[in-house]
Amino acid sequence: MNEMANIQLSRASVAPRFPAHPVAGMAGTSLKHDHLPSIMANGVERGFFEVHAENYMGAGGPPHDALTRIRRDYPVSLHGVCMSIGGPQPLDKTHLGRFKALVDRYEPALVSEHLAWSTHETTYFNDLLPLPYTQTTLARVAEHIDEVQEAIGRPILLENPSTYVLFLQSTMSETEFLRELVRHTGCGLLLDVNNVFVSATNHGYSALGYLGDFPLEHVGEIHLAGHAEQADDEGDLLLIDSHDGPVADAVWKLYDIVIGQCGPVPTLVEWDSEIPDWPILKAEAAAAQAILDRHAYRFMPGKAHAAG
Amino acid sequence: MQPVDFQDHRHDVRIGYAADFAGPLLDPERPPPAFIAGPNGKAAKKRYAVYRNNVTVSLINALAATFPATLRITGVDFFRAMARFHVRATPPTSPLLFEYGYDFPDFIERYEYAGSMPWLADVARIERAWLDAYHAADAAPLPPQALASIPPAHLADTILTPHPATRIVRSRYPAVTIFAANRVGGPVTPIEASEPEDALVTRPGMEVVVRRLPPGGAVFLTRLLAGEPLAAAAEAALTDDSEFDLSANIAGMIEAGVFNDIRGGG
């Protein structure tokens, strides 16, 4: 333990520490390098930026330069996309080491990963693939979350997936599965409201019903994003979690209800393809901030707690 | 709620769903796994196709992002068809997509429909090297006066350490000219060059720079990067090309940020 403390001390003496920048009650956006000149030139009054951890796992160069500059001025959320926590095979220790190095280097306000898998054997599929919800997978996923949290020395927020298929072998609901993961590992949750809407539509259940079963008291961050429309084999609506457009009206309504229930939880607007100019993305974040602020007063210390 | 049995599954390396779900993702001939469905007994063919499409398209997009000049030369449809073959045959083995595509230039060389563009693979090699340089570790390039600090008697044995971003791509074609003309937007201009061109890729600061190496430069620099002393590398370069100009090469390379450190011999 002493050795550990020494290592941390020596690192602190070399690398300048970043300011704390609290993220509470804020809306933020995905950080896109095309937006950097606008962000740097005009600044952002209030907000945070979320980055996909894997894009910053190179040794150096412009990605780290940009993230360092952003981290000096704003809270940063580190969002892992390919830890493959939901897969049956052991976690990639090298990848976990890289993830830990990023957490140590940038001291992010939020750290999250997905309830999904993306690597099987040696192939990386670059998609968030689904898993069945059973006692067996629950045990395996809980082990993986424990391993990540132990490596980085702090709890993670686990994101609910958007899915297109159901597994015949599932014996638990998704909300039950997430609730058990929280109970066994102490992790928090990242509630993606668009994913809830997409999955509910795709699987024919009520999004509000899902949210009613969701352990909202453990939500440490919220994601909002746009989705696209396709059709399933029967010709019915199938929603695709595409992150390529504005947040849908129905998702904004669900979000308003969620914030009314659980207070001003930091909220991220994701936009990962067909990326618009900065003012458009900034306006989406401002819309989320308005909802956060509208509910915030009821959750201020000293006020009667209106939630629930 | 039943208690979770953490002991039971710890050593169970393979739980079937991932293997069976993953198998058909990159193989359109195989049917979707039997254990998935839509709600209320609905079919899952189109539903599973969403995952297939996400995997294939996102990996093609990753190649398109790494090889934009190659794409501009071939056109979008040609590039995406070529990339689709490559993605299915050689999917990534690292979750870091900026490490994907090292095998793509060799694939292009063997791709029969690209046979009329024999220089295309070399352009792709420059683009792959560009991305290596972009993500390489930060390091201060050797300042121009560094060489002057070495006593003349020790110059022959001097060892120059490469900057982490430095890459060389040799070509029998005017690959640097073709790369430079297609890495930018705007109208395509005819390319007059026909001479072989060796590319030097460096990143002295935050900007990746691609330039042409002078005659003998590639041999000279390859030897230096392998750790050979200055005199031996210069001799090899002169043997390769009698036009090799030692001082012009060193000056140009130091200016490009090729080196990170210098160690006098003796």
Side-chain angles (χ1 to χ4, degrees), chain A residues 178-200:
Chain A
L178 288 166
R179 198 182 287 276
E180 285 302 301
L181 285 175
V182 169
R183 192 165 70 86
H184 286 288
T185 69
C187 74
L189 296 171
L190 193 174
L191 172 59
D192 188 315
V193 180
N194 182 59
N195 286 357
V196 172
F197 186 74
V198 165
S199 292

Side-chain angles (χ1 to χ4, degrees), chain B residues 123-175:
Chain B
V123 172
R125 287 187 181 101
I126 296 174
E127 297 205 274
R128 187 48 264 186
W130 189 100
L131 194 58
D132 281 343
Y134 182 84
H135 285 284
D138 301 329
L142 194 68
Q145 66 276 17
L147 205 60
S149 68
I150 306 286
H154 293 164
L155 263 181
D157 296 327
T158 292
I159 305 276
L160 287 148
T161 315
H163 186 282
T166 302
R167 299 289 185 279
I168 303 166
V169 179
R170 304 205 63 179
S171 180
R172 292 187 286 134
Y173 306 97

